[in-house]
Amino acid sequence: MQPSVYHGVWRAAVHTLRTRGTPPCRLLSTAPLADAETIFALSSGHGRCGVAVVRTSGPASATALKHMAGLTRNLPPPRTALLRSITHPQSKEVLDRGLVLWFPAPHSFTGEDCVEFHIHGGPAVITAVLQALGSVAGMRPADAGEFTRRAFQAGKLGLTEVEGLGDLIHAETEAQRRQALRQMSGELGRLYQDWSHRLKRCLAHVEAFIDFSEDELIEDGVLNQVDSSVCDLQAEMERHLKDERRGERLRSGVQVVIAGATNAGKSSLLNTLCQRPAAIVSPIAGTTRDVVETALDIGGFPILLSDTAGLRDSPDLVEREGVRRARERVEQADLTLVVVDCAQLSSAAQQAAAFIRGHLTSVLPTQEQPETVFPTDRFLLVLNKSDLLPEEQKQKLDRELRCVSGLPPVCLISCHTNEGLQDFLTVLHSSVKTLCGDPLSGAPTLTQARHRAHLQQCFAALAQYQRYRDMDMALAAEGVRLALTSLGRITGRVGAEEILDIIFKDFCIGK
């Protein structure tokens, strides 16, 4: 190809991408900014502790290290702890004695020059070191999340990895920790980056077909390849979206609601599970009138447990509002524990089952009223006050109700004696684990509502490509571009130059 022809094709491709609209997300530089301010902050959390870590990031980090660690000549070897007296850079007063570590760019968390001061964790020591750093020219306190933001801007972390890091910091249960660590490792980001790469290739091929097919510079069958790739991507995204929100549940906690009639022992069950008097327990019917919430760790899985008002018709306006809120919570719940008083059950299994069916029908949301079968994955049947039944009747009831088809899993317990509580916790853990899934097995799951929204937009945009494929290639190309834009909002990286690179790499235009 002659240079003039090459530049003409390049200009035409650039014009095409610019006039049709480029994805709004730009490629981020992987080099630290030379004129960036140097920031510092306490990185190890507040409160008295044995050791606290104060971190800096930016070009003035080396100056601060020399002045405060008494280093007149060379900096210490990178990533090597050095025991030094920490002094004020102006008054030379010794503030503490601790370890200093030097992390030169680009091999640091933020990609910039970084220093860590490992000092004693007393509030006075921490305050003195922070004030000393503030006296160094060119340094300022860091804003919230600024270290991680700089790591993202330097290309050290992708957006999904940043979110995984945030989830790891806030993880309260073992399963949350595992899921956050998996996302922070980049597995979810790599999946989305792979989809982005394939979409860029599709868009490049479609753009090249639009601009150069009339000159017979494009190989035959290029659109068939795009069609196949788009169909494959849609199938993969559809499977990814059909995860029943397991990752989101695990991240935010499974919504578990205790519901049932008055005086069935709902508040007693809440207090038993959280092992403290979180709710008022009284023999007076209608004591609980509002929703009482508490967070629990069930076998490493997080749940938000809610006690609700007893379900009954009442002339009391306040209690009626409590019942309305209770039904609203049941509709929103991931799992409902339906509590029934054993004393109200007949000794005959069929009559007991009929009573329970009627009770479940009164608890179920209106739009989910079944005829015979109840959603066993969303309900657990808790028969409380089993200590009031004779042992023979209790065993018979338990055995026969388990054989009745269409009922949720049945658990006989006594909140008064804790009888059957361990078996109930085993069933509850199994149900919660099913709702959340195993965070370490299978493909990575969605953990953020924004990921789901952008992927749904991406899926719809690919449908636009298929809709206009045989009618208007410009509109079809716009569908692929919108899909790429939606993915770019998750990963944070997409740009027109990448599409141009693929055009000239995959097609020998002009040869």
Side-chain angles (χ1 to χ4, degrees):
M1 179 186 291
Q2 297 296 323
S4 61
V5 177
Y6 174 84
H7 289 301
V9 173
W10 177 266
R11 284 195 299 272
V14 171
H15 175 73
T16 298
L17 289 171
R18 288 178 177 171
T19 55
R20 289 183 185 149
T22 56
C25 301
R26 61 182 178 85
L27 285 172
L28 300 171
S29 172
T30 57
L33 300 176
D35 57 348
E37 295 178 294
T38 302
I39 57 175
F40 64 89
L42 175 66
S43 296
S44 56
H46 298 277
R48 290 180 175 83
C49 53
V51 177
V53 178
V54 175
R55 176 189 288 172
T56 74
S57 179
S61 294
T63 302
L65 177 58
K66 286 182 177 180
H67 289 172
M68 295 183 63
L71 301 173
T72 57
R73 294 184 179 180
N74 297 328
L75 292 168
R79 293 168 296 280
T80 301
L82 183 66
L83 180 62
R84 303 291 295 182
S85 293
I86 312 298
T87 62
H88 195 285
Q90 296 177 353
S91 66
K92 304 303 178 183
E93 177 189 358
V94 176
L95 306 177
D96 193 18
R97 186 167 176 81
L99 300 177
V100 296
L101 292 96
W102 165 240
F103 301 90
H107 305 295
S108 68
F109 174 71
T110 62
E112 303 174 322
D113 288 345
C114 291
V115 171
E116 287 185 2
F117 296 90
H118 293 218
I119 57 178
H120 291 96
V125 177
I126 295 172
T127 300
V129 172
L130 292 176
Q131 289 177 346
L133 285 169
S135 68
V136 178
M139 301 191 69
R140 65 167 177 83
D143 296 329
E146 191 169 3
F147 282 92
T148 306
R149 186 183 184 90
R150 291 193 178 196
F152 168 68
Q153 291 174 331
K156 295 289 184 177
L157 295 172
L159 276 182
T160 55
E161 295 169 43
V162 168
E163 290 167 326
L165 175 59
D167 289 347
L168 184 63
I169 291 172
H170 293 97
E172 295 181 346
T173 70
E174 184 66 12
Q176 285 178 321
R177 179 193 66 79
R178 290 173 178 172
Q179 176 172 273
L181 194 61
R182 186 179 184 185
Q183 182 172 332
M184 196 183 75
S185 69
E187 190 171 351
L188 189 63
R190 286 190 293 273
L191 174 65
Y192 296 153
Q193 287 289 0
D194 174 65
W195 288 350
S196 292
H197 176 75
R198 290 156 65 182
L199 279 176
K200 290 171 196 171
R201 195 179 190 87
C202 289
L203 182 57
H205 289 189
V206 173
E207 295 286 5
F209 178 85
I210 292 173
D211 290 334
F212 309 122
S213 61
E214 293 181 359
D215 300 326
E216 297 183 355
L217 299 174
I218 302 299
E219 294 86 345
D220 294 335
V222 63
L223 286 186
N224 292 334
Q225 297 176 18
V226 174
D227 294 342
S228 177
S229 184
V230 167
C231 287
D232 291 342
L233 281 168
Q234 279 189 304
E236 292 176 31
M237 289 181 188
E238 187 174 21
R239 287 195 298 269
H240 190 57
L241 287 167
K242 288 183 177 179
D243 64 343
E244 299 181 354
R245 300 183 182 272
R246 290 190 180 93
E248 293 165 76
R249 275 200 199 102
L250 180 53
R251 179 175 179 268
S252 59
V254 180
Q255 298 286 335
V256 179
V257 174
I258 304 174
T262 57
N263 274 3
K266 300 184 300 299
S267 297
S268 296
L269 178 59
L270 176 78
N271 294 344
T272 300
L273 292 177
C274 65
Q275 298 182 350
R276 62 183 178 87
I280 298 174
V281 175
S282 167
I284 301 174
T287 301
T288 301
R289 298 191 173 195
D290 205 349
V291 178
V292 181
E293 294 182 337
T294 185
L296 292 179
D297 180 343
I298 301 295
F301 291 88
I303 73 169
L304 184 62
L305 187 63
S306 301
D307 180 27
T308 59
L311 302 177
R312 67 171 181 175
D313 294 328
S314 173
D316 190 299
L317 291 178
V318 177
E319 187 175 355
R320 278 159 56 186
E321 173 62 19
V323 171
R324 186 195 68 80
R325 295 187 182 188
R327 295 194 181 281
E328 184 178 66
R329 282 302 179 97
V330 171
E331 291 180 359
Q332 299 169 352
D334 298 313
L335 181 65
T336 302
L337 308 180
V338 183
V339 183
V340 178
D341 185 351
C342 281
Q344 298 181 6
L345 297 179
S346 170
S347 58
Q350 293 301 323
Q351 294 180 5
F355 178 88
I356 290 173
R357 287 183 187 278
H359 188 67
L360 286 171
T361 302
S362 69
V363 172
L364 273 174
T366 306
Q367 65 271 23
E368 292 188 11
Q369 294 286 358
E371 294 183 0
T372 55
V373 180
F374 294 88
T376 58
D377 59 332
R378 288 193 54 199
F379 289 83
L380 289 182
L381 188 57
V382 183
L383 307 184
N384 189 28
K385 305 182 183 180
S386 62
D387 56 299
L388 301 179
L389 299 180
E391 186 64 27
E392 182 179 348
Q393 180 182 348
K394 181 168 52 179
Q395 292 181 1
K396 179 183 177 183
L397 183 65
D398 184 28
R399 182 174 58 255
E400 294 184 353
L401 284 179
R402 292 180 187 276
C403 298
V404 177
S405 62
L407 289 182
V410 178
C411 300
L412 265 76
I413 70 166
S414 169
C415 292
H416 179 65
T417 65
N418 289 338
E419 182 183 3
L421 184 62
Q422 193 57 49
D423 291 339
F424 164 70
L425 288 175
T426 301
V427 175
L428 177 60
H429 174 259
S430 177
S431 299
V432 171
K433 185 176 181 180
T434 300
L435 289 169
C436 293
D438 186 348
L440 295 182
S441 65
T445 57
L446 289 161
T447 61
Q448 302 272 347
R450 79 171 193 92
H451 296 175
R452 185 175 299 277
H454 291 321
L455 283 176
Q456 288 171 339
Q457 293 169 3
C458 181
F459 187 84
L462 291 179
Q464 176 180 324
Y465 167 82
Q466 293 180 327
R467 187 164 60 251
Y468 291 104
R469 158 64 165 85
D470 298 323
M471 299 165 53
D472 189 326
M473 282 307 301
L475 290 177
E478 183 63 19
V480 180
R481 183 178 295 104
L482 290 174
L484 184 57
T485 298
S486 297
L487 268 184
R489 288 179 178 143
I490 299 177
T491 62
R493 293 177 175 86
V494 65
E497 287 76 11
E498 290 190 59
I499 300 168
L500 295 174
D501 289 342
I502 294 173
I503 289 177
F504 292 102
K505 177 182 178 182
D506 285 5
F507 302 105
C508 300
I509 297 172
K511 292 186 179 180

